[in-house]
Amino acid sequence: MKAVVLGGYGLIGSAVMRALAAAGFDVTGVGRSAAAARRMGPGFNWNLRDISSVETPEWRNVLRDADVVVNAAGALQDGGRDDLTAIHETAIGRIAAALEGTATRVVQISAAGVGPHASTEFFRSKERGDAILQSSGLDHVILRPVLVIGPAAYGGTALLRAAAAIPLIGLQILPGAQVQTVALDDLARAVVLAAQGAITPGTVADLTEAESRSFPELVQTVRRWQGRPDPKMRLRLPGVLLKASSAMADLLGHLGWRAPLRSTAIRALSDGIAGDPGAWQAAGGFRCRSLDETLAALPSTVQERWFARMFLLFPLLILLLALFWVPSGAIGLIRFDAAVAVLTERGVAMGPAQGAVALGALVDLVLGLAVLSRRWLRPGLIDMIAVSLGYLICGTVLTPDIWTDPLGPFVKVLPGIGLALAVLGLTDDR
């Protein structure tokens, strides 16, 4: 049987593709990033498409041989890279139109808590997409997982790991929120059963463990799983500080950053993440594992602990780079004459000296601002490294005596290069 997985390189989509392949399906993934598709490894077919913009005729071509279509594509919030309506609704409508009159089964991965009056547009748009599929007349199963826990960390599960990694302090975030989880492997297994026809057509079911716990209890459980000692003190994060953090995260979303502290995620956690396993089991499903069983099946490796710590440090490192380069460029322009004098006193003509200072200052400003954008982060880092090396080479030729300056302006460029290299090594987000 042939299966097509939309959003095949995401947290859920990649697990689903591997599970379907292991079950004997011929699997093709659909996504817009060739680099992310390559990281899935060899052995998978790909249709590189921007799911939100594919029209119905093109979907007919992409899905023409599919026995099963699994929709694992989704976005948490509108932002620089995401459009909820396009992904959750328009794409579903076009796919339904493309599959009209076929026997293809559609397995829709939605979310527990969706509804027309839900508190966030994420849940409301997901519900509208589910409704389009339910009214389409297609053979379908809709699965609504709670918080998904797996070996890969992304979004909410990345935030969970990072919160558990804070040294000494146990932050009490949203103490009233109740959360249920589901193992990523259980979700992938459920998709396989639905794809094989073992689940009753038309099923709409939550995928969840039976137990629930508060969010601070969840963080503490993950902390112990990571092998970290209990915190020395517990501090409740003030609501005003949490709101300010989510407002900043929303702003960063317009720069392409999918920060897990965005207002949609915080609101979803505040409302609680809960589901009822009854419909799933009644449709022929299995019992989903508890959180303790899920974590027992996952090794907490050094990679896990490195990620949790670096997830906290990553935005700080980017901010430090911006705070190094932007003021450097601004000071060069503000103290333009003094900067020019550094060159002219060493024999450089006035015209070339002024041009070098002006160009250098502008380049510093542009690169410092570029790394604040997700889209321009990687090229900005590469240019920072190249410009720094060029600065050292030209400076050594024109002003070699600055190497012995007591304040070490040349020497201080070296750790800046190291910082840019470190951030460059952390730029993958999947």
Side-chain angles (χ1 to χ4, degrees):
M1 295 179 69
K2 295 185 178 181
V4 176
V5 180
L6 312 184
Y9 47 66
L11 171 69
I12 294 173
S14 58
V16 166
M17 286 187 65
R18 292 188 175 97
L20 287 169
F25 283 82
D26 179 5
V27 185
T28 297
V30 180
R32 62 187 171 189
S33 171
R38 282 195 302 271
R39 286 193 288 269
M40 273 285 292
F44 291 103
N45 302 314
W46 288 93
N47 260 314
L48 297 177
R49 301 285 194 281
D50 182 349
I51 292 168
S52 63
S53 62
V54 176
E55 301 283 350
T56 300
E58 190 174 358
W59 277 124
R60 289 195 185 99
N61 181 55
V62 171
L63 306 176
R64 66 181 182 276
D65 297 324
D67 298 295
V68 179
V69 175
V70 180
N71 181 24
L76 180 66
Q77 190 169 324
D78 287 326
R81 292 191 285 171
D82 300 312
D83 181 332
L84 293 185
T85 299
I87 298 170
H88 295 164
E89 300 175 57
T90 306
I92 299 300
R94 291 170 177 173
I95 289 168
L99 294 175
E100 185 177 3
T102 71
T104 302
R105 166 163 282 198
V106 179
V107 181
Q108 165 90 332
I109 301 175
S110 184
V114 305
H117 305 296
S119 62
T120 68
E121 181 59 18
F122 168 77
F123 288 119
R124 294 191 295 269
S125 63
K126 275 285 192 181
E127 193 277 336
R128 291 192 293 268
D130 292 352
I132 291 171
L133 181 59
Q134 289 174 289
S135 64
S136 68
L138 295 173
D139 181 352
H140 68 274
V141 171
I142 298 175
L143 303 176
R144 292 174 171 171
V146 289
L147 183 65
V148 180
I149 304 292
Y154 187 70
T157 57
L159 174 63
L160 178 62
R161 285 163 159 91
I166 297 175
L168 303 177
I169 298 173
L171 284 181
Q172 303 296 290
I173 304 172
L174 304 173
Q178 291 293 307
V179 181
Q180 290 172 283
T181 66
V182 63
L184 179 59
D185 287 347
D186 283 349
L187 173 53
R189 179 184 170 195
V191 172
V192 171
L193 288 179
Q196 291 172 331
I199 302 301
T200 306
T203 292
V204 180
D206 296 334
L207 287 177
T208 178
E209 61 177 335
E211 301 86 355
S212 68
R213 65 209 49 82
S214 70
F215 187 72
E217 289 172 336
L218 176 59
V219 172
Q220 180 64 12
T221 300
V222 173
R223 189 184 191 106
R224 289 173 178 165
W225 168 69
Q226 290 176 341
R228 304 184 191 280
D230 289 345
K232 300 298 182 183
M233 64 180 74
R234 300 182 188 276
L235 297 177
R236 182 164 182 171
L237 188 68
V240 64
L241 185 56
L242 187 60
K243 288 182 179 178
S245 299
S246 66
M248 178 61 70
D250 286 349
L251 177 62
L252 292 174
H254 294 291
L255 294 175
W257 296 99
R258 291 167 173 158
L261 278 175
R262 284 178 292 174
S263 56
T264 294
I266 298 303
R267 187 60 183 267
L269 280 174
S270 300
D271 294 343
I273 302 176
D276 182 354
W280 169 244
Q281 294 178 10
F286 51 87
R287 182 190 72 86
C288 293
R289 285 172 285 180
S290 68
L291 175 64
D292 289 339
E293 292 171 319
T294 298
L295 295 179
L298 291 175
S300 179
T301 62
V302 65
Q303 294 96 320
E304 179 70 41
R305 292 185 288 276
W306 270 55
F307 171 84
R309 287 193 293 262
M310 293 311 299
F311 189 81
L312 293 171
L313 291 173
F314 184 61
L316 177 61
L317 298 180
I318 292 175
L319 181 60
L320 286 174
L321 279 171
L323 290 177
F324 175 77
W325 284 79
V326 171
S328 175
I331 291 170
L333 293 177
I334 293 170
R335 303 200 61 198
F336 186 78
D337 291 340
V340 170
V342 172
L343 297 177
T344 56
E345 289 172 359
R346 290 164 174 82
V348 179
M350 178 62 73
Q354 290 176 328
V357 170
L359 179 61
L362 291 174
V363 167
D364 286 359
L365 284 170
V366 169
L367 292 181
L369 294 173
V371 296
L372 297 176
S373 166
R374 184 67 183 86
R375 177 180 179 183
W376 296 106
L377 174 64
R378 189 175 181 85
L381 291 168
I382 293 171
D383 287 344
M384 280 180 174
I385 295 167
V387 168
S388 296
L389 292 173
Y391 171 67
L392 289 179
I393 292 170
C394 292
T396 300
V397 172
L398 297 174
T399 57
D401 59 295
I402 293 182
W403 277 107
T404 59
D405 188 295
L407 297 180
F410 279 0
V411 175
K412 290 174 182 176
V413 175
L414 299 176
I417 293 174
L419 180 58
L421 284 169
V423 176
L424 186 61
L426 299 170
T427 53
D428 290 346
D429 63 353
R430 292 185 186 271

